Amino acid sequence: MSVETYATTATEPSLVDLLDRLLGKGVVITGDVVISLADVDLVRIQLSAVIGSVRKEMGMYD
């Protein structure tokens, strides 16, 4: 009697797969940067970025 075992490994997505998925649906990135001295805010920068596929927005998405 023999027992066969199969090893299953979880494959991690590559960087190209992640970028394709993110660009296909779109991503919004926001962040705040504050530079302060003695609890007094000297500089505040608020960042926002919208990243999406140009092909999808123009209706040329496959």
Side-chain angles (χ1 to χ4, degrees):
M1 181 172 173
S2 65
V3 176
E4 294 181 21
T5 60
Y6 297 99
T8 58
T9 59
T11 59
E12 294 185 18
S14 67
L15 181 61
V16 173
D17 293 334
L18 290 174
L19 285 175
D20 185 46
R21 182 175 295 171
L22 290 175
L23 290 177
K25 295 187 180 195
V27 176
V28 176
I29 301 171
T30 60
D32 294 329
V33 177
V34 178
I35 299 175
S36 61
L37 181 65
D39 289 332
V40 176
D41 293 346
L42 300 176
V43 177
R44 172 173 286 223
I45 301 171
Q46 296 177 330
L47 306 169
S48 297
V50 177
I51 301 172
S53 174
V54 174
R55 287 187 299 172
K56 182 177 180 182
E57 296 301 322
M58 294 182 69
M60 298 183 302
Y61 195 74
D62 295 335

